[in-house]
Amino acid sequence: MKVSNKFTFARLIFAPVFFLLYSLPIWTGNKNLAFVSACLMIPSLIVMELTDYWDGHYARKHNEVSDLGKLFDPFADVMLNLTVFLCAFRSFDPAMGSYMPLVIFLLIMYREFCQNFLRMLAIRQGVAIAARKGGKVKTVFYIISGFFMLAAECFIRLGLVDLCNSRFGIDLRGFYPQVKLVIQIFYVICLVLSYSSFIDYLKNFGSVFKDM
């Protein structure tokens, strides 16, 4: 496997690992495990998101740009970002509930599946659909939304909500609805960008499918 594809593969393998890292404290209710996960989730996800830059860098540096890479890279992005979105359905603090509405997750997931289906159809016609500017902007907002959600969740898991309540008498749980609203607005933006970029792909590569 080429160096660039190894970075992409690492991102793909990390997706289920991240899901377990996020979910195990919720399943077990263990506060120590929640604290450890809060210390690890954001740094490890930053490293995995950086692999998206590294795989492109090494692909260009070693002349490893290929049709496989053009398909493998966005596929790994989708798997990782959808995993982070899936985690947003539950918080360690039941009072926070879900960060992401189910309907938004389903619509984004449907869009990503349709996009991958189009890529497979295009390959049959000898065309590799690489990521376009709109798709890259969409991915950036996916990442921003994921990190914002994780920042709120890590604040809870580190025990800072309880600390503020016990030491300063400030009940931060009263701000949960506002925090959720801001995060959900980010997710709405992600939804809009995902479908606008999908329409852009259809406009630019629709001719590929006319003779099928």
Side-chain angles (χ1 to χ4, degrees):
M1 185 180 292
K2 297 177 180 178
V3 174
S4 56
N5 288 335
K6 287 181 180 179
F7 282 116
T8 305
F9 187 67
R11 197 156 65 254
L12 188 62
I13 293 298
F14 178 73
V17 175
F18 180 83
F19 180 77
L20 289 176
L21 183 63
Y22 183 95
S23 301
L24 279 176
I26 297 175
W27 295 339
T28 62
N30 190 304
K31 290 188 176 182
N32 292 328
L33 193 56
F35 185 89
V36 172
S37 69
C39 295
L40 294 177
M41 285 190 299
I42 291 181
S44 58
L45 187 59
I46 288 174
V47 173
M48 285 302 105
E49 294 294 355
L50 284 175
T51 63
D52 193 20
Y53 165 76
W54 291 331
D55 60 19
H57 170 75
Y58 280 99
R60 292 185 294 270
K61 182 177 180 181
H62 299 298
N63 195 26
E64 296 176 353
V65 178
S66 64
D67 289 344
L68 172 61
K70 292 177 182 179
L71 293 174
F72 197 20
D73 179 60
F75 175 72
D77 287 343
V78 167
M79 292 294 289
L80 181 57
N81 289 319
L82 286 182
T83 299
V84 176
F85 287 167
L86 182 61
C87 291
F89 281 114
R90 291 188 66 186
S91 171
F92 186 74
D93 189 340
M96 176 61 82
S98 175
Y99 294 100
M100 187 178 205
L102 176 61
V103 64
I104 292 181
F105 176 80
L106 286 175
L107 289 173
I108 290 177
M109 183 179 68
Y110 292 157
R111 181 271 184 199
E112 297 298 345
F113 284 174
C114 289
Q115 177 70 21
N116 283 329
F117 181 67
L118 289 180
R119 291 183 191 276
M120 289 187 291
L121 290 179
I123 281 294
R124 291 189 60 187
Q125 299 295 96
V127 177
I129 301 179
R132 290 177 56 80
K133 184 177 180 180
K136 292 178 180 179
V137 171
K138 176 264 302 180
T139 299
V140 169
F141 270 86
Y142 278 13
I143 295 170
I144 292 173
S145 301
F147 278 115
F148 196 84
M149 181 274 292
L150 286 177
E153 180 64 13
C154 287
F155 196 87
I156 293 172
R157 296 189 182 202
L158 291 172
L160 297 178
V161 173
D162 295 330
L163 179 64
C164 287
N165 192 16
S166 61
R167 179 163 296 185
F168 305 108
I170 302 174
D171 185 9
L172 293 180
R173 286 179 174 83
F175 294 94
Y176 280 4
Q178 291 87 342
V179 173
K180 285 176 60 175
L181 178 61
V182 172
I183 296 173
Q184 288 172 0
I185 289 173
F186 273 102
Y187 287 145
V188 170
I189 294 173
C190 288
L191 178 64
V192 173
L193 290 175
S194 69
Y195 276 90
S196 62
S197 67
F198 183 60
I199 293 171
D200 177 63
Y201 280 109
L202 289 176
K203 288 172 61 177
N204 284 274
F205 296 98
S207 59
V208 175
F209 314 110
K210 288 182 178 179
D211 299 327
M212 294 189 69

